[in-house]
Amino acid sequence: MAYVTHCKVRFQHCDPAAIVFYPRYFEMINSAVEDYFADVVEADFNSMHVEGHVGVPTVSLETQFHAPSRLGEVLSFSVAPTAVGATSLTLAIHAHCGDHHRVSCRLTLVYVYMTTGRPVPWPDPMRQRFVTEPEKG
Amino acid sequence: MAYVTHCKVRFQHCDPAAIVFYPRYFEMINSAVEDYFADVVEADFNSMHVEGHVGVPTVSLETQFHAPSRLGEVLSFSVAPTAVGATSLTLAIHAHCGDHHRVSCRLTLVYVYMTTGRPVPWPDPMRQRFVTEPEKG
Amino acid sequence: MAYVTHCKVRFQHCDPAAIVFYPRYFEMINSAVEDYFADVVEADFNSMHVEGHVGVPTVSLETQFHAPSRLGEVLSFSVAPTAVGATSLTLAIHAHCGDHHRVSCRLTLVYVYMTTGRPVPWPDPMRQRFVTEPEKG
Amino acid sequence: MAYVTHCKVRFQHCDPAAIVFYPRYFEMINSAVEDYFADVVEADFNSMHVEGHVGVPTVSLETQFHAPSRLGEVLSFSVAPTAVGATSLTLAIHAHCGDHHRVSCRLTLVYVYMTTGRPVPWPDPMRQRFVTEPEKG
């Protein structure tokens, strides 16, 4: 089962057409990844960045915007690992409003030591929490 | 009693010092005003803007930033009317993290008809929901 | 020759690691597309959206972030059409800082009539300005 | 004479009413302050924050929004010191579009050592560049 978190479409997310301006979806997606790490991986961004000097920068993404989202709608974001590398993680992220599919995103991030900017292997306690599932067509 | 809503400090809100970048507080404050209108005034921004062609643009604000807020903290935003004019509303908004006072804001907004940009009087059902209380020193 | 526009990395673009937060790159990319339409296609976003009730929403993108960008750097964004459909346009966008390649993006947008949300064919004067060039490997 | 810098109103700045969403003005104002420090005070934010571990957080502001700004307009931002304290600086900032006055802002910032969060006195070379002028009524 994918992890699911929610985000309400706010005035700040909307463009002159009163629909979500696409860069704002990536703020929502980043928050969904933040929630996934805090709730599932038990690694919150504050501890990682500020205390541990590690981070998870995004290195690539493929995104399709299927239909616009409107002011006041509540979107669900599902987050599921699809591939785990030595230092990387690929996530499938989908935004829905009810049954309506709005956004598909395949995002790869890397675990890096911030001081050097170099990738480092996932610690075992984190790696064990990345439970992959087959991607749906 | 002031209306209270909450916002978690996200990675997207933080600057290179790992504290909230002050323009992001105004995104949070705007969301708190959005919640206040939806929950207390029973006028949600989508109905107002998209269906009713009315809006509540901010015309002035005075803000003090008492102390920085950090990644991962949950802030409470209290919203209370302090003055109601024919077409305007002044709100006292305070952000706290637990007992720590972070931001004070006095914000005045105006009810306008979007097509003309001209202020219009508050409809009675909205006006009756603005319950003012004396401002605390 | 690709069209080129520039953007300085501002405090507002940077995250707690003092590098560009990736959703901010999409604000920069959207501004580069805005400049391309204004300067090359002679169709500015204000005339399109506000007067013409047409828009160019992004429907898909593939992005690689090759290396981080830092506060104070000036980035160049090159924009070049790689495919023109009846109602769509695919653009190759690359961000560099001097010789350093930072971001590659392949973005497809669609010309839509905002009132219906339906795609409409590119008008000939716009279509004639989309000069495609072969994508570099 | 006040220092003047410019900013074009972009799609990313505009709300569903196709006017600048007010939190975006503070991103523009922060960039104007950034330009003022780089060009007039000869202290760029990157050197200050990343190399010097000092910063200039905003501690208070008073702002009036006189009239809306629209997509595609070019705004000028004037920045002039009105008061210099041992560790603080008050700036008068005004945004215009041609002759039209859009925003007035009185902003106070403090020079702090980021590691401790404590205010520190302005170094003489910086202080000498803060040339105050009487505020216009």
Side-chain angles (χ1 to χ4, degrees):
Chain A
M1 284 284 294
Y3 171 77
V4 177
T5 183
H6 295 85
C7 181
K8 191 173 174 182
V9 177
R10 299 290 196 166
F11 203 69
Q12 74 191 75
H13 300 127
C14 292
D15 69 13
I19 59 177
V20 173
F21 178 51
Y22 85 82
R24 307 292 169 232
Y25 276 124
F26 293 108
E27 297 183 9
M28 298 179 193
I29 284 171
N30 199 68
S31 289
V33 171
E34 215 170 316
D35 287 344
Y36 168 79
F37 270 86
D39 293 347
V40 177
V41 189
E42 295 185 5
D44 69 89
F45 272 30
N46 188 50
S47 304
M48 280 204 281
H49 282 89
V50 178
E51 296 161 26
H53 304 289
V54 288
V56 286
T58 295
V59 294
S60 69
L61 33 88
E62 284 171 51
T63 314
Q64 288 83 43
F65 304 98
H66 305 294
S69 300
R70 295 178 191 286
L71 185 54
E73 289 183 339
V74 176
L75 304 181
S76 68
F77 285 81
S78 65
V79 181
T82 59
V84 187
T87 64
S88 71
L89 176 69
T90 300
L91 297 168
I93 300 167
H94 295 274
H96 286 83
C97 179
D99 289 343
H100 301 278
H101 197 180
R102 297 291 167 77
V103 182
S104 302
C105 182
R106 206 161 167 282
L107 179 156
T108 299
L109 51 81
V110 172
Y111 191 62
V112 300
Y113 188 56
M114 301 307 278
T115 316
T116 59
R118 304 286 284 275
V120 284
W122 295 111
D124 267 349
M126 291 179 77
R127 166 182 294 279
Q128 283 161 17
R129 302 204 173 258
F130 302 143
V131 180
T132 59
E133 44 186 85
E135 236 176 314
K136 280 170 283 189
Chain B
M1 283 283 292
Y3 170 78
V4 177
T5 183
H6 295 84
C7 182
K8 191 174 174 182
V9 177
R10 300 290 197 166
F11 203 69
Q12 72 190 76
H13 300 128
C14 292
D15 69 13
I19 59 177
V20 173
F21 178 52
Y22 84 81
R24 308 291 171 233
Y25 276 124
F26 293 108
E27 298 182 10
M28 297 179 192
I29 284 172
N30 199 67
S31 288
V33 172
E34 216 171 316
D35 287 345
Y36 169 79
F37 270 85
D39 293 346
V40 177
V41 189
E42 294 184 5
D44 69 89
F45 272 31
N46 188 50
S47 304
M48 280 204 280
H49 281 89
V50 179
E51 296 161 25
H53 304 289
V54 287
V56 287
T58 295
V59 294
S60 69
L61 35 87
E62 284 171 51
T63 313
Q64 288 82 42
F65 303 98
H66 305 294
S69 299
R70 296 179 190 286
L71 185 55
E73 289 182 340
V74 176
L75 304 182
S76 68
F77 285 82
S78 65
V79 181
T82 58
V84 187
T87 63
S88 70
L89 177 69
T90 300
L91 297 167
I93 300 167
H94 294 276
H96 286 82
C97 178
D99 289 343
H100 301 278
H101 197 181
R102 298 290 168 78
V103 183
S104 302
C105 181
R106 205 160 166 282
L107 178 157
T108 300
L109 51 80
V110 173
Y111 191 62
V112 299
Y113 188 55
M114 300 306 279
T115 317
T116 59
R118 303 286 284 275
V120 285
W122 294 111
D124 267 350
M126 290 178 77
R127 167 182 293 279
Q128 283 161 17
R129 300 201 174 260
F130 301 142
V131 179
T132 59
E133 44 185 85
E135 236 175 314
K136 280 170 284 189
Chain C
M1 283 285 293
Y3 170 77
V4 177
T5 183
H6 295 85
C7 181
K8 191 173 174 181
V9 177
R10 300 290 196 166
F11 203 70
Q12 74 190 75
H13 299 128
C14 293
D15 68 15
I19 60 178
V20 173
F21 178 52
Y22 84 82
R24 308 291 171 233
Y25 277 124
F26 293 108
E27 298 182 9
M28 297 179 192
I29 284 172
N30 199 68
S31 288
V33 171
E34 215 171 315
D35 287 345
Y36 168 80
F37 270 85
D39 294 347
V40 176
V41 189
E42 295 185 4
D44 69 87
F45 272 31
N46 187 49
S47 304
M48 280 204 281
H49 282 90
V50 179
E51 297 162 26
H53 304 288
V54 288
V56 287
T58 295
V59 294
S60 69
L61 34 87
E62 284 171 51
T63 314
Q64 288 83 42
F65 304 99
H66 305 295
S69 299
R70 294 178 191 286
L71 186 55
E73 289 183 340
V74 176
L75 304 181
S76 68
F77 285 83
S78 65
V79 180
T82 58
V84 188
T87 63
S88 70
L89 177 69
T90 300
L91 297 167
I93 300 167
H94 295 276
H96 286 82
C97 178
D99 289 343
H100 300 279
H101 197 180
R102 298 290 168 77
V103 183
S104 302
C105 181
R106 205 161 166 281
L107 178 157
T108 300
L109 50 81
V110 172
Y111 191 62
V112 299
Y113 188 55
M114 301 307 278
T115 318
T116 60
R118 304 286 284 275
V120 284
W122 295 111
D124 267 350
M126 290 179 78
R127 167 182 294 277
Q128 283 162 18
R129 301 201 173 260
F130 301 142
V131 179
T132 60
E133 44 186 84
E135 234 175 315
K136 281 170 284 190
Chain D
M1 284 284 294
Y3 171 77
V4 177
T5 183
H6 294 85
C7 182
K8 190 174 175 181
V9 177
R10 299 291 196 166
F11 203 69
Q12 75 190 73
H13 300 127
C14 292
D15 69 13
I19 60 178
V20 173
F21 177 52
Y22 85 82
R24 307 293 170 231
Y25 277 124
F26 293 108
E27 297 183 9
M28 298 180 192
I29 284 172
N30 198 68
S31 288
V33 172
E34 215 171 316
D35 287 346
Y36 168 80
F37 270 86
D39 294 347
V40 176
V41 189
E42 295 185 3
D44 69 89
F45 272 30
N46 187 50
S47 304
M48 280 204 281
H49 282 89
V50 179
E51 297 161 25
H53 304 288
V54 287
V56 286
T58 295
V59 293
S60 69
L61 36 86
E62 285 171 49
T63 314
Q64 289 83 43
F65 304 98
H66 305 295
S69 299
R70 294 176 192 287
L71 185 55
E73 290 183 339
V74 176
L75 304 182
S76 68
F77 286 82
S78 64
V79 181
T82 59
V84 187
T87 63
S88 71
L89 176 69
T90 300
L91 296 168
I93 300 167
H94 295 275
H96 286 83
C97 179
D99 290 342
H100 300 279
H101 197 180
R102 297 292 168 76
V103 182
S104 302
C105 182
R106 205 160 167 283
L107 179 156
T108 300
L109 50 81
V110 173
Y111 191 63
V112 300
Y113 188 55
M114 300 306 278
T115 316
T116 59
R118 304 287 284 275
V120 283
W122 295 111
D124 267 349
M126 290 180 76
R127 167 183 293 280
Q128 283 161 18
R129 301 202 173 260
F130 301 142
V131 180
T132 60
E133 44 185 84
E135 236 177 314
K136 280 171 285 190

